[in-house]
Amino acid sequence: MAAESSPSPAEEYLDEVLAVVERVPAGRATTYGLVAEAVADVLGRGGPRQVGQVMARAGGGVAWWRVVNAAGSPPAHHLDVALAELRAEGCPLTRDGRRVDLRRAVWLP
């Protein structure tokens, strides 16, 4: 029987980021920074840029559109798709409809 290997630090970080993002409820949003803080509470490392890298590389299986920057903007290269998903879920957006209204929609991990 082969011994199970433990995940690499990168895999461990990826798994933890995705686990946090999976918990964001429909109609709400969180920021890269808040996800990073939640992951750092568990693993003691990482930041918003690392969360963004995980989401870009492996976030397709989770509701990635619920993670926005500190200004409430979804990823620029997926803006229209993200905004359509957020609208469909009833997430509060700013008056111009281009960003999440984080005062009303933020979810704290």
Side-chain angles (χ1 to χ4, degrees):
M1 195 163 160
E4 243 182 80
S5 64
S6 52
S8 72
E11 291 168 329
E12 187 179 49
Y13 192 83
L14 182 144
D15 290 344
E16 191 62 32
V17 167
L18 296 179
V20 171
V21 174
E22 284 178 340
R23 296 190 342 247
V24 181
R28 304 288 295 278
T30 194
T31 67
Y32 296 102
L34 290 170
V35 173
E37 287 177 21
V39 172
D41 285 347
V42 174
L43 299 178
R45 65 182 189 276
R49 288 181 191 266
Q50 287 78 20
V51 171
Q53 290 170 350
V54 167
M55 296 303 294
R57 197 172 78 241
V62 295
W64 56 267
W65 55 89
R66 296 180 190 151
V67 183
V68 297
N69 69 21
S73 297
H77 52 287
H78 296 297
L79 184 65
D80 293 335
V81 172
L83 289 171
E85 292 285 354
L86 291 162
R87 280 188 196 99
E89 294 180 352
C91 186
L93 301 177
T94 56
R95 223 176 256 207
D96 66 4
R98 302 300 287 170
R99 292 180 294 123
V100 170
D101 183 344
L102 288 171
R103 286 175 307 189
R104 296 187 299 150
V106 72
W107 176 79
L108 302 173

